[in-house]
Amino acid sequence: MIHQPTRIEPSTEYGLIGLAFSGGGIRSATFNLGVIQALARKGILKYVDYLSTVSGGGYIGSCISSLLNNSTYGTDGQDFPFYHEQGEPERETFRHLRNNSNYLAPGGLLDKLRIPAVVLRGVLVNLLVLIPYIVLAVALSEWCFELFGYDVTTDPGPISGLLMHPILFGAIGLFVLYILLFPPITKLLVPYLKWRWRDRYGKSFGVLLLVVVLAVTVILLPHSFYWFDKLDLGEVWLGIVALAQLLPALFAGKAAENVSKLIGRVALYAVGLLGPLVLFILYLYLYTFLFWDGESPYIAWIYSGAVVLFFYTRMTVNVNATSPHGYYRDRLSKAYMFQVANGQVSDTDTLRLSALNDEGTLGPYHLVNVAHNLNGSADPNLRGRNADFFILSKHFCGSDRVGYCDTKKMEKIDPHLNLGTAMAISGAAAAPNMGTTTIPSLVFIMAFLNIRLGYWLPNPGQLHASASSLWRRIWSWVRNRPLSPFSGAGPYYLIKELFGKITAQDNYVNISDGGHLENMGAYELLRRRCRYIIVGDGEADPDHTFHGLATLIRYAQIDLGIKIEMDLNDLRNREDGFSKKHCAFGTIHYDENETGYLLYIKSSMTDDENEYIREYRNNNPAFPHESTGDQFFDESQFEAYRALGYHIVNKLCAGLCIDGRATLEDWFETLLGVSLTPQFELTEEFVELQEQLRFIEQQFQDPEFAEYTRQIYPELATEGAEDGAHDSADTNRRIFHLCNLQLQLMENVVLALRLDTVYARDHVVNRGWMNLFGRWANTSHLQNAWRVSSDTYSIQFQLFWKEALDSERTTSESR
């Protein structure tokens, strides 16, 4: 009897804590370096169960996972690899990251030339893959021309006579006849058809219209050949082909920014047409070379070469290897995948996903988020997304849509898959198919020009099912032979990328930057029902519109039925370009019985940062939201982002001392309480509270209150001083009213600063108020007033009095 493992349903009862790092390239990686450095220093990181990263957040996340996979490192205090002691030199881990902050081209001119060289190499290999198909198109064209008696070398005449051409006339006639039959068919037949047949009948009109378009194309081919030869622009066309390699890089990004505008749309389509135009020019060039002046003597050689080239590319080309993915992956790995021993840096380039969280190590369980591109899927649930969630982790790889397989099995089938590869895939921002950010008109040209950082991974569902039958096992063996024409991600997958026909049914799945779907990296933490989630957001958001967070909230509601509530108003930019706060705290409603909490840390400026952060901002006004296209950080830029992340978390945790998971939960509860109460502005409510205090202090100058003043400030009593004799009923009445003014001020401050929470009371900023209230509460007059009127004050203030003042007074009396 086979033992079936018990399925554990996700629940907040486990008290899981998740940490998510957003996308944003090296900007996010460096910002979140500061975040995780402060979390470790404050004793929070050691309680984190999941580390979920996406895109640029995966750079530093993978770096942490790599370092913490060594038992000599820990997640707390000096054991943390990025711990920095004041007055001591930086550790080698810091220096390594800082020295590799221009990771894409650290070696100068040669490294910078490698990038276009890698792209150009891929373009030429792509041409080798496509040439057999171009030769096939030429052969079919010649066969059709001979069949219809065309002579493309003669003047085809004016285009104005196009409508009278027999082929087009017949195609249009068929289309018109079909339309004429539409009314009687609709009246007599369609009402009795089932839905699928009615749908097919509707689609048949589109098929006939496509036939008309193809007829026009066939008829125009002779014109194309004739004018191509007559104008003798072969060399010019080749120049256009070369120039076309540059245009997408130069103009596509700018056009995409204006995609909602008519000019932007036209520009995108114009750039997108360059890819098919290049192939069409090659087709014209090859046809005229072979058939214009009679059949070329080289035709047999070219046909034979095309066949050989087809099988050669089929057996040897791996589209993962021809793309810039390998270069990008290796540069990232050199910068972020390393260990340090005895001050010496060594790489961990081959660290497998399945080897993470090795015995005796303390790192959190790492979830690498990528997007599974499905641009060719007909699933209506993917409309507007064109992608699905996909994870790479220690134990499993896959998604709910295609299934999951054991990571060790995936690594065996694809030896290239490891932590470094997963990091690069998760950060594969530039790709033809990009989930929700796909620009359809640019898919072909980007794939053709080898702008492909995505990756073709063996389909987890296919691997999982490969052992289910003898035939599948045999096919799997054939497919995985090194020189098998069916092995690896071959030319077939390049064709699928070119035309955006990517589905979930192939042997390989196309995965790319997780930010192409969800850029916060927190979706998988919500699926696991983490009770506490910390998100470090370093994405480019100069206007503070919170697009990534809003997308996460929408997906959580639609896909998981999870509602997230949070107020982001204090994080929005003010007129001076600064925010009121760096962080927001939200409530996660998993269901009626389970609630979680979300701490959202935004890369933002509040004008309370240190001087070198401000200095960098003054010189670079876009900071901390400089373009993601800038992946070449210098020292000052690196330090500004790191220091900002550290400053935000360090300030958030001021006065915090974590000595257990329960203390950490109390901290989250305190943050929730503080976030639910509006904090006063220094220029408004704080001034008003100070005015109330000033008024009360003025009352103490009245001689009638001398005895009460000495109760509050016994230090003022001098030897031989007379006790106040003003103990008449009128004086007691006035003191009682003064005490109520004090109590009202105390309540206002307690509600404004949330002093009913332990964390707020212990915060160094509120120490002055707490000391003052302690003095007041130790007087008999204020105690009497409280006993009389306590039930007229809010529950929060009553709680504050009981926990903070009664307990404090009891403690002092016991002493």
Side-chain angles (χ1 to χ4, degrees):
M1 180 176 175
I2 299 176
H3 173 69
Q4 295 292 334
T6 303
R7 177 179 173 83
I8 300 176
E9 295 295 331
S11 173
T12 57
E13 293 181 1
Y14 300 118
L16 296 174
I17 299 172
L19 174 62
F21 290 154
S22 80
I26 193 173
R27 180 189 59 248
S28 176
T30 311
F31 170 76
N32 282 306
L33 168 62
V35 168
I36 201 168
Q37 184 190 3
L39 290 175
R41 192 178 189 90
K42 293 297 181 179
I44 297 174
L45 181 60
K46 61 185 175 184
Y47 298 108
V48 171
D49 301 291
Y50 286 110
L51 173 61
S52 183
T53 63
V54 60
S55 195
Y59 300 176
I60 191 61
S62 299
C63 179
I64 295 296
S65 290
S66 171
L67 289 166
L68 293 182
N69 210 47
N70 185 332
S71 59
T72 60
Y73 285 125
T75 54
D76 193 21
Q78 296 186 18
D79 292 336
F80 185 62
F82 290 105
Y83 178 82
H84 183 214
E85 186 66 49
Q86 194 71 27
E88 295 292 329
E90 279 187 340
R91 291 187 174 183
E92 193 61 37
T93 49
F94 272 115
R95 293 178 182 175
H96 180 82
L97 285 188
R98 199 185 306 278
N99 293 339
N100 285 274
S101 57
N102 60 339
Y103 66 96
L104 277 180
L109 178 62
L110 287 181
D111 268 342
K112 288 182 171 61
L113 288 176
R114 279 183 64 185
I115 298 176
V118 166
V119 173
L120 182 58
R121 179 189 67 190
V123 173
L124 295 178
V125 174
N126 291 347
L127 277 174
L128 292 179
V129 170
L130 295 174
I131 281 175
Y133 298 97
I134 296 174
V135 173
L136 178 62
V138 168
L140 289 175
S141 299
E142 177 62 12
W143 178 78
C144 289
F145 293 153
E146 289 182 356
L147 181 65
F148 290 104
Y150 275 179
D151 182 4
V152 295
T153 62
T154 61
D155 188 350
I159 297 179
S160 58
L162 187 67
L163 289 175
M164 301 309 296
H165 196 284
I167 295 179
L168 182 57
F169 188 79
I172 294 176
L174 180 62
F175 186 68
V176 172
L177 177 62
Y178 203 63
I179 293 176
L180 291 175
L181 292 174
F182 173 72
I185 292 176
T186 304
K187 185 175 182 179
L188 300 175
L189 184 60
V190 170
Y192 305 101
L193 295 176
K194 292 184 178 180
W195 178 88
R196 65 176 179 273
W197 289 104
R198 294 198 305 270
D199 183 59
R200 290 171 182 173
Y201 178 62
K203 288 181 179 178
S204 65
F205 287 91
V207 172
L208 283 177
L209 184 58
L210 180 60
V211 169
V212 173
V213 173
L214 290 175
V216 173
T217 303
V218 170
I219 296 167
L220 284 177
L221 274 177
H223 294 270
S224 302
F225 287 122
Y226 179 79
W227 288 105
F228 181 76
D229 178 73
K230 186 175 181 64
L231 295 176
D232 194 20
L233 296 177
E235 290 75 10
V236 176
W237 289 123
L238 289 177
I240 293 175
V241 170
L243 181 62
Q245 312 302 312
L246 302 175
L247 288 178
L250 295 176
F251 300 115
K254 187 59 67 176
E257 294 176 4
N258 302 295
V259 70
S260 60
K261 303 174 184 177
L262 178 60
I263 295 178
R265 289 180 180 273
V266 171
L268 284 177
Y269 281 108
V271 172
L273 287 173
L274 286 174
L277 178 61
V278 168
L279 298 185
F280 183 65
I281 293 171
L282 291 175
Y283 161 78
L284 295 176
Y285 205 84
L286 185 59
Y287 183 89
T288 55
F289 174 76
L290 290 178
F291 299 108
W292 200 255
D293 296 321
E295 194 170 281
S296 171
Y298 303 105
I299 190 169
W301 288 99
I302 290 178
Y303 281 176
S304 300
V307 173
V308 171
L309 192 58
F310 174 81
F311 285 103
Y312 170 76
T313 55
R314 180 80 186 187
M315 295 176 67
T316 61
V317 170
N318 184 312
V319 294
N320 287 331
T322 59
S323 78
H325 159 81
Y327 174 81
Y328 177 59
R329 179 230 176 270
D330 289 345
R331 301 317 307 172
L332 280 176
S333 178
K334 183 179 184 301
Y336 290 97
M337 299 292 298
F338 63 94
Q339 286 281 1
V340 177
N342 300 320
Q344 299 297 314
V345 176
S346 60
D347 71 80
T348 54
D349 180 70
T350 59
L351 178 62
R352 292 174 290 112
L353 284 165
S354 60
L356 293 176
N357 304 105
D358 201 8
E359 185 177 353
T361 61
L362 301 174
Y365 190 88
H366 194 171
L367 300 171
V368 181
N369 295 268
V370 299
H372 176 198
N373 292 299
L374 294 164
N375 298 66
S377 175
D379 188 344
N381 292 324
L382 294 175
R383 185 180 181 184
R385 296 190 186 182
N386 298 319
D388 198 12
F389 296 93
F390 197 104
I391 64 163
L392 304 169
S393 68
K394 173 181 173 63
H395 292 301
F396 295 100
C397 297
S399 69
D400 287 347
R401 181 171 297 273
V402 297
Y404 297 86
C405 78
D406 184 88
T407 299
K408 288 184 177 180
K409 185 174 184 179
M410 179 68 77
E411 291 170 339
K412 184 177 180 180
I413 298 298
D414 186 354
H416 185 64
L417 178 64
N418 48 40
L419 181 58
T421 300
M423 168 180 61
I425 297 169
S426 182
N433 300 276
M434 302 185 290
T436 58
T437 60
T438 300
I439 304 175
S441 60
L442 297 183
V443 169
F444 189 97
I445 187 67
M446 289 184 70
F448 177 70
L449 295 182
N450 206 36
I451 306 173
R452 302 182 301 113
L453 290 178
Y455 192 82
W456 287 93
L457 186 77
N459 191 323
Q462 300 283 350
L463 293 181
H464 185 71
S466 63
S468 61
S469 68
L470 178 60
W471 164 246
R472 284 187 176 274
R473 288 197 294 271
I474 294 174
W475 173 241
S476 177
W477 184 88
V478 171
R479 203 178 65 213
N480 293 317
R481 296 308 90 197
L483 291 180
S484 167
F486 307 105
S487 67
Y492 168 73
Y493 295 99
L494 173 63
I495 304 299
K496 293 185 77 70
E497 271 196 270
L498 283 166
F499 295 98
K501 299 300 181 182
I502 300 174
T503 65
Q505 285 71 48
D506 289 303
N507 293 327
Y508 285 78
V509 294
N510 183 261
I511 53 179
S512 63
D513 195 316
H516 292 159
L517 186 59
E518 192 273 299
N519 203 35
M520 292 295 101
Y523 184 90
E524 293 296 335
L525 300 179
L526 293 172
R527 278 164 46 95
R528 287 156 178 75
R529 295 207 168 191
C530 290
R531 181 165 176 78
Y532 305 105
I533 296 175
I534 303 171
V535 175
D537 180 8
E539 73 172 356
D541 184 19
D543 297 325
H544 283 210
T545 59
F546 311 103
H547 171 75
L549 181 63
T551 300
L552 171 67
I553 294 173
R554 184 174 76 252
Y555 287 166
Q557 178 70 61
I558 294 172
D559 298 353
L560 308 174
I562 297 172
K563 183 179 181 181
I564 301 175
E565 291 182 335
M566 64 191 321
D567 184 0
L568 299 172
N569 285 328
D570 286 343
L571 270 67
R572 301 189 190 280
N573 278 342
R574 299 179 306 209
E575 292 183 359
D576 59 2
F578 293 98
S579 305
K580 182 179 177 182
K581 295 181 180 178
H582 294 291
C583 309
F585 202 82
T587 305
I588 307 169
H589 301 282
Y590 288 110
D591 57 34
E592 294 181 355
N593 302 314
E594 293 195 340
T595 301
Y597 304 104
L598 174 66
L599 173 58
Y600 176 64
I601 302 170
K602 181 71 171 176
S603 178
S604 55
M605 295 280 289
T606 62
D607 204 24
D608 65 345
E609 295 78 17
N610 66 39
E611 285 305 318
Y612 65 77
I613 297 178
R614 292 188 190 187
E615 187 269 343
Y616 185 84
R617 165 69 175 256
N618 290 336
N619 294 328
N620 303 272
F623 176 83
H625 297 284
E626 293 170 288
S627 171
T628 308
D630 178 12
Q631 295 292 296
F632 302 87
F633 274 25
D634 57 22
E635 179 181 288
S636 61
Q637 192 174 16
F638 180 93
E639 180 58 19
Y641 279 98
R642 185 211 63 82
L644 178 62
Y646 184 88
H647 161 78
I648 292 173
V649 177
N650 190 55
K651 179 182 178 183
L652 184 68
C653 301
L656 179 67
C657 182
I658 299 293
D659 57 5
R661 189 173 286 255
T663 307
L664 183 60
E665 292 177 356
D666 288 341
W667 178 61
F668 272 101
E669 298 286 351
T670 299
L671 290 177
L672 174 65
V674 172
S675 69
L676 293 179
T677 300
Q679 302 297 294
F680 58 78
E681 292 280 358
L682 290 176
T683 57
E684 297 177 4
E685 294 183 54
F686 182 73
V687 173
E688 183 179 340
L689 293 176
Q690 290 292 337
E691 288 297 329
Q692 294 178 30
L693 177 60
R694 187 178 295 109
F695 174 77
I696 291 173
E697 292 288 352
Q698 289 175 351
Q699 308 308 307
F700 288 128
Q701 298 178 17
D702 193 321
E704 290 187 292
F705 300 149
E707 182 267 337
Y708 181 32
T709 302
R710 283 196 293 272
Q711 285 187 20
I712 297 174
Y713 301 105
E715 299 94 330
L716 297 179
T718 56
E719 192 174 335
E722 297 182 3
D723 291 338
H726 304 285
D727 55 357
S728 65
D730 183 63
T731 298
N732 288 334
R733 177 184 59 78
R734 294 183 63 189
I735 290 177
F736 175 78
H737 288 302
L738 176 59
C739 288
N740 272 294
L741 286 177
Q742 292 175 271
L743 290 171
Q744 186 61 63
L745 171 62
M746 292 171 71
E747 181 182 41
N748 292 342
V749 174
V750 167
L751 294 179
L753 298 179
R754 285 311 308 258
L755 296 181
D756 55 321
T757 63
V758 176
Y759 174 75
R761 292 199 293 270
D762 292 342
H763 200 290
V764 63
V765 174
N766 300 324
R767 189 174 298 164
W769 286 110
M770 291 301 301
N771 290 339
L772 177 64
F773 293 167
R775 286 181 177 273
W776 287 0
N778 275 325
T779 65
S780 59
H781 285 294
L782 197 68
Q783 293 167 21
N784 291 334
W786 177 251
R787 281 192 288 269
V788 172
S789 56
S790 61
D791 59 352
T792 66
Y793 293 95
S794 67
I795 295 297
Q796 292 95 323
F797 185 39
Q798 293 180 41
L799 178 66
F800 168 79
W801 185 280
K802 180 180 180 180
E803 293 185 351
L805 300 181
D806 274 354
S807 59
E808 190 175 292
R809 192 164 55 255
T810 301
T811 301
S812 72
E813 289 172 357
S814 66
R815 291 173 183 167

